[in-house]
Amino acid sequence: MNQAAIEKAQAHFAELVKEQLERVEQMKQAQDWIDFTKLKPIIIGVCWGDGIGPIISQETQRILSFLLEDEVKSGKVEFRTIDGLTIENRAKHLKAIPDDVLAELKACHVILKAPTTTPEKGDQWPNIESANVAMRRYLDLFANIRPVKVPSEGIDWIFFRENTEGAYVLGSKGTMVTEDLAFDFKVITRQGAERIIRMAFDYAAKNNINKVTVVTKANVVKTTDGLFLDTAARIAKEYPQVQWDGWYIDIMTAKLVDPKRRTQFRVMVLPNLYGDILTDEAAEFQGGVGTAGSANVGKRYAMFEAIHGSAPRMIKEGRGKYADPSSLVRAGAMMLRHIGFAAQAEKLEMALDICGQYEKKLVITGRDDGATAEEFGNYLMETTQDPNIKSRWEASVRK
Ligand code: IPM
Ligand code: MG
């Protein structure tokens, strides 16, 4: 027996347990939701990120500034650029989010975040943690909300992915006990499960949706997923008007492909990694990950991002200006809704459907045979200004 290795692993585990128990204590302290109606200015931080990030985030900011022109003029809304969230700067400081960048983020109320490079084993970058994962944890953005809609096929889903626990929270804290034995850790807490599950049930109840689907693998991953599922059963009792059912991730993944079955799903709530995987699959029905937005919401902060990566290959091949900004623009629309500008959000969402899914007067292909991000941005902005946008959207969806 390698006693030294065992003791080292024990110490490592003890450290993690201590850290997680502290996090539980923090979660127990009730905190109120931020009230955007009372804020002036609402500060929107825009992180440019890596690869195609600067291109699509500038395009998104241009569209949002256009829709919020009056609010920016009146001082209700302020945009702030945060340019230190690049892989070069993060590598220089050997930190997922350098301290000064984190301070800048914390001085904002909401953040629009372009994709950032996540180093992986064997690449040129030091093995720092993903900036998304770190930001979700530092700002306690516990709910990752990802809607997917294909109205013409009856698909109207919204995923509530737990965002601060599961296989992710300790994803960079695994340990090689010996060179032959690797451990990673997965953690679920009662408080962490409760807050995301409650949010999903609240959403269903408020929107008169009579169905919440809880996705786990509790038949095999018994302790952590078991706690998640038990918590769901308990919270569900507070919402007698909402029915719920539990599905395992494997069959759930299959049933999303089944055209008869999939339209019955509406609100899904699930631990972090399952949510990561299932939402990529779901987005594919809507036109791919390039079309889906993602809201990372906590009580104090919120961050809105594309669900795809930074596409360094597009930059290497000189195709950056043909990058599709739709995913980040959709995230921008979710941000508008979150901070209280529902009318602008609705217009932008309809424009995204019309331009990206139905009319397609301009199509983005990622190459020079398609539109540029800027041309597509203009198309979206023009569409939002159409006084008949609603009937145009309805006609598109019915086709
Ligand atoms: C997502 C992404 C991230 C995640 C990556 C980039 C770390 O895939 O937002 O879904 O796994 O959460
Ligand atoms: Mg993902």
Side-chain angles (χ1 to χ4, degrees), residues 146 161 168 276-277 279-280 307:
R146 297 182 165 183
R161 163 185 173 190
Y168 272 67
D276 178 46
I277 297 167
T279 53
D280 266 19
I307 83 166

